[in-house]
Amino acid sequence: MSDHDIRDIIAPDLQVLFCGINPGKSSAHTGFHFAHPGNRFWKVIHQAGFTREQLLPEQEQRLLETGCGITMLVERPTILASELAGAELRDGGARLQEKVLRFQPRALAVLGKDAFQKAFRQRNVAWGEQPQLLGETRLWVLPNPSGLNRASLEEMVAAYRQLHDWLQNKA
C-alpha cells in the first residue's frame, strides 16, 4: 500500500508514458503528480509540444487527451529521490516493465538517468533514445524535471522536444 492517493494516468496505446522516480512530499500531500511548485514537468512538456496549454497538476487527467500518461518507479514518497534504496528501484523497474508490456505506449520516458540505470540494471546510459525495446515500446531517458536538477529549463525542453519530434516523425 502507498502513503498517498496518486494514481497512474495510463491507458492502452499512449504516445508516451512519462515515468517519474517517486512522489515528493508535495505530490503525496495533494494527490497529484509533479505537484511541487518548483517542479518543471508541466512547463517542460508544454514547451516541448506535448500539450497545447500548460496544465496544472490537478488537471493531470487531461494528459490522456494528448496521448500522454504518467506513472512512477517507486510509490513511496520521499523528500529526495536519493532516499530510495537500489532494491526499491529494481523492484519498481520490474513492475514498470510489466505495466509497459500490458499497455504498450509507443515510448516510455524514464525521468532520471540514475533511476533508469538502477531500475533496468544498465550502465553507462546516455540521455535520449535507448537501444532496447520493451515489447513494441521504445525506451527514452530524459532529465528529471525536479527543481533540484541543475539542468536549465531550456536544456530540459530541448531533451523532451527530441522525444516529441521522434513521436511526430514516426506517426
Side-chain angles (χ1 to χ4, degrees), residues 156-168:
M156 282 192 195
V157 169
Y160 283 61
R161 189 174 291 125
Q162 285 181 338
L163 170 56
H164 181 266
D165 292 349
W166 179 85
L167 289 166
Q168 297 303 306

Side-chain angles (χ1 to χ4, degrees), residues 74 76 78 80-92 118-119:
V74 177
R76 182 170 69 89
T78 60
L80 301 172
S82 60
E83 296 173 46
L84 298 172
E88 287 179 286
L89 291 165
R90 287 188 297 279
D91 291 348
K118 289 177 180 167

Side-chain angles (χ1 to χ4, degrees), residues 4-153:
H4 56 76
D5 293 325
I6 302 170
R7 299 291 168 250
D8 286 343
I9 310 298
I10 195 167
D13 303 317
L14 291 172
Q15 290 296 303
V16 60
L17 180 61
F18 292 104
C19 181
I21 300 170
N22 73 309
K25 295 292 186 175
S26 294
S27 289
H29 177 73
T30 65
F32 300 111
H33 293 273
F34 304 107
H36 189 279
N39 193 295
R40 300 172 281 183
F41 177 78
W42 301 102
K43 183 177 283 195
V44 168
I45 64 168
H46 169 62
Q47 290 185 14
F50 289 98
T51 61
R52 291 183 193 268
E53 61 189 271
Q54 185 174 323
L55 299 176
L56 299 170
E58 54 270 22
Q59 296 173 305
E60 64 184 9
Q61 288 293 333
R62 288 183 52 199
L63 270 182
L64 293 174
E65 301 165 14
T66 70
C68 299
I70 305 175
T71 190
M72 60 197 116
L73 272 172
V74 177
E75 289 200 8
R76 182 170 69 89
T78 60
I79 295 172
L80 301 172
S82 60
E83 296 173 46
L84 298 172
E88 287 179 286
L89 291 165
R90 287 188 297 279
D91 291 348
R95 284 189 304 276
L96 177 61
Q97 290 180 52
E98 292 171 8
K99 199 178 296 184
V100 168
L101 290 170
R102 186 168 85 229
F103 287 96
Q104 287 292 269
R106 286 186 57 212
L108 168 67
V110 177
L111 309 182
K113 191 184 288 187
D114 187 57
F116 179 87
Q117 289 177 153
K118 289 177 180 167
F120 287 84
R121 298 173 190 235
Q122 300 287 314
R123 290 185 145 167
N124 303 317
V125 170
W127 292 110
E129 186 177 356
Q130 302 303 302
Q132 66 267 49
L133 294 169
L134 268 178
E136 298 296 315
T137 300
R138 176 60 67 190
L139 303 181
W140 284 70
V141 177
L142 297 176
N144 191 298
S146 165
L148 299 174
N149 185 338
R150 291 178 300 204
S152 71
L153 178 64

